[in-house]
Amino acid sequence: MAVFLALQMIGVFLPFCYSQTNVDATDRPTPQCSFENGACAYTVTLVHEKTCPQVPGGQTSDTFITNAVIEQSKFTQSLSMKYDNLSATVKSLENKNLALNARVDVLDRAQNQTQAELTKLAKERSNYALWLARLENENKVLKQFMKGYTQGFQSCSEWKEFGQTDSGNFRVDPDGPGGAPYFDVWCDMTTSPPTAVIHHNREARTRVKGYEAAGSYIVPIVYEATTNQIVALLNVSTSCQQFLKWECYHATLKDQWWMSRDGAKMTYWGGGKPGKYRCTCQKQGTCPAGKECNCDVNDAAWRADSGYLTDKATLPVSELRLGDTGHTTEQGYYTLGPLKCSN
């Protein structure tokens, strides 16, 4: 604190003394002041004398100034050293900051690269998940497809769903495991939906002659599947039909009938409906002479009654019973098509 006050006296008060002279500031000599009772006399010509400030501690002016200069020098040297140390510290911190910034840049680039790798890996993982799901689905389809070949699908429609678009023989299992055994049917893939066709042993157009009694000519029908298998197919089908035709020459339809799969006598013909129409012409109102069927005319002319049987509760036809062909002029032809079911 004393040094600071001394410096103030040298740096502030003495220049004030100089300012009272006629000497220009740039030519101002070094002051020589002898202190006597607090008064100073300068070697330069002064306009008037000025009382100098009191030197603290009773020191002579030379000693005071010398000590002040020494203290100022030490202080300046100390400040210079501190400045140099501070500059070195700042320089070191700047270098460390540069190094840290460089490291941060490296880490940023590494982070960006890592993020890019993570994004790439996430995308690959997503792709792998999609591929795995696709493979699992294909494996499931393959298993079902193999099951279809070994045990059969429920219907022709399922075969078509699995890519079988060409018509042919296919294995079906309509009621699944535990039901009727699977069996082969012909699948007509040209229809929509596909049609399952079950053939039998009497599909050809056949002449009947020499059987006069009603129903005396018996035609058993043997299908390519058992009754239980056929019923299983009927149950899963939306519709089924079987074509039946009787061509007559003096052979009335009243002496002809067919048997349901359960052995019940069915007196209506193809195109008819149980309890409503015996034949197609009755339904359409085109039968001759008010008859219920064309062949009921029973004359010397070729006539025919034909159409589709569609009642799933009675199909398929298990047997035909024919007659009225015993006289010389009497004869007829029957045609029974395969059972066809769509689903």
Side-chain angles (χ1 to χ4, degrees):
M1 185 64 180
V3 174
F4 177 74
L5 292 174
L7 290 175
Q8 279 188 328
M9 291 179 182
I10 294 172
V12 177
F13 292 105
L14 289 181
F16 177 77
C17 289
Y18 297 148
S19 67
Q20 309 304 314
T21 72
N22 292 325
V23 182
D24 187 83
T26 57
D27 297 327
R28 186 177 298 159
T30 303
Q32 299 293 328
C33 181
S34 65
F35 287 84
E36 294 179 4
N37 298 321
C40 66
Y42 295 96
T43 58
V44 295
T45 303
L46 300 175
V47 176
H48 61 275
E49 291 184 354
K50 180 69 176 180
T51 301
C52 291
Q54 182 69 35
V55 178
Q59 303 178 55
T60 64
S61 61
D62 289 341
T63 302
F64 175 78
I65 293 173
T66 299
N67 291 337
V69 170
I70 290 172
E71 291 297 327
Q72 183 182 25
S73 175
K74 289 181 178 180
F75 183 71
T76 301
Q77 186 178 6
S78 175
L79 288 179
S80 177
M81 291 177 63
K82 290 182 178 179
Y83 176 78
D84 290 342
N85 291 337
L86 183 60
S87 296
T89 302
V90 170
K91 185 66 175 177
S92 176
L93 291 175
E94 288 177 346
N95 291 335
K96 288 182 179 180
N97 186 55
L98 290 174
L100 183 59
N101 288 338
R103 180 60 178 165
V104 169
D105 290 340
V106 171
L107 292 176
D108 284 342
R109 288 194 295 271
Q111 183 181 12
N112 292 336
Q113 184 176 1
T114 302
Q115 187 61 43
E117 289 293 330
L118 288 175
T119 301
K120 181 180 178 182
L121 289 175
K123 184 176 181 180
E124 290 180 354
R125 180 182 180 183
S126 178
N127 290 336
Y128 286 140
L130 291 175
W131 294 336
L132 179 61
R134 187 181 304 167
L135 288 174
E136 289 177 347
N137 184 62
E138 289 178 356
N139 184 50
K140 181 180 179 181
V141 171
L142 182 59
K143 286 182 178 179
Q144 290 179 327
F145 196 67
M146 293 303 297
K147 175 181 176 293
Y149 269 107
T150 56
Q151 301 178 14
F153 288 121
Q154 186 182 55
S155 64
C156 295
S157 293
E158 285 195 7
W159 276 107
K160 192 169 186 177
E161 289 175 3
F162 279 89
Q164 298 299 314
T165 58
D166 293 332
S167 300
N169 280 311
F170 293 93
R171 184 160 294 176
V172 295
D173 188 11
D175 53 0
Y182 55 80
F183 58 101
D184 293 339
V185 298
W186 177 267
C187 288
D188 183 359
M189 300 299 188
T190 63
T191 62
S192 182
T195 302
V197 181
I198 300 179
H199 292 282
H200 58 80
N201 62 331
R202 305 301 293 267
E203 292 182 12
R205 177 174 179 263
T206 303
R207 183 181 182 221
V208 179
K209 177 69 176 174
Y211 295 86
E212 181 61 25
S216 59
Y217 182 76
I218 302 174
V219 185
I221 310 299
V222 180
Y223 292 91
E224 294 177 342
T226 66
T227 299
N228 288 338
Q229 291 170 329
I230 294 173
V231 170
L233 179 64
L234 288 165
N235 289 337
V236 299
S237 299
T238 55
S239 63
C240 293
Q241 61 182 14
Q242 191 169 15
F243 181 76
L244 178 61
K245 182 178 182 180
W246 175 246
E247 298 172 72
C248 55
Y249 190 90
H250 259 310
T252 179
L253 195 61
K254 293 180 180 180
D255 289 341
Q256 332 296 333
W257 65 86
W258 58 276
M259 308 296 289
S260 72
R261 66 169 182 260
D262 296 325
K265 180 180 179 180
M266 312 303 294
T267 58
Y268 73 94
W269 212 247
K273 189 173 182 180
K276 292 194 73 174
Y277 311 108
R278 283 186 60 226
C279 297
T280 301
C281 67
Q282 185 182 15
K283 180 180 179 180
Q284 297 175 345
T286 59
C287 296
K291 302 294 184 180
E292 292 181 345
C293 298
N294 290 319
C295 288
D296 286 347
V297 177
N298 197 18
D299 61 354
W302 279 105
R303 300 177 184 274
D305 288 292
S306 64
Y308 285 95
L309 305 172
T310 59
D311 182 18
K312 292 197 301 177
T314 56
L315 289 175
V317 174
S318 63
E319 193 175 86
L320 293 176
R321 297 290 185 92
L322 308 172
D324 195 27
T325 60
H327 296 163
T328 303
T329 59
E330 297 175 338
Q331 60 176 317
Y333 287 87
Y334 73 85
T335 303
L336 179 64
L339 177 66
K340 297 181 179 181
C341 292
S342 300
N343 56 357

